[in-house]
Amino acid sequence: SQRGYDRSWQQARAIYLKANPSCQRCHSPATVVDHIMPHKGNTALFWNRANWQALCQHCHNSAKQAAERKP
């Protein structure tokens, strides 16, 4: 919750996943609301829904995280 993932985020996340139930990458059921551009503590970017995408756990933890680690 220190990074902003509090009750408000959990509620917004649930609403977003209900409206966007499929992973943007593989079309499996989405379980994660990912920040397309890492917010790094930027509150405006954190809450900007245009910066959100629905992903499944696998796509979030593999391809997306690997892409963020690249220089």
Side-chain angles (χ1 to χ4, degrees):
S1 66
Q2 290 178 348
R3 293 178 49 213
Y5 299 99
D6 57 11
R7 179 180 292 230
S8 295
W9 169 254
Q10 294 303 323
Q11 291 171 341
R13 174 191 171 278
I15 292 167
Y16 189 84
L17 288 175
K18 187 172 184 177
N20 301 277
S22 298
C23 177
Q24 294 293 310
R25 292 178 180 250
C26 72
H27 307 291
S28 295
T31 58
V32 177
V33 176
D34 176 63
H35 291 91
I36 299 165
M37 180 184 305
H39 60 86
K40 299 183 181 184
N42 179 325
T43 305
L45 192 56
F46 182 92
W47 287 108
N48 181 352
R49 285 183 167 86
N51 188 42
W52 297 359
Q53 66 180 341
L55 296 177
C56 69
Q57 192 76 31
H58 175 75
C59 287
H60 179 265
N61 291 346
S62 58
K64 178 67 167 63
Q65 295 299 315
E68 287 183 7
R69 285 191 290 271
K70 287 185 179 180

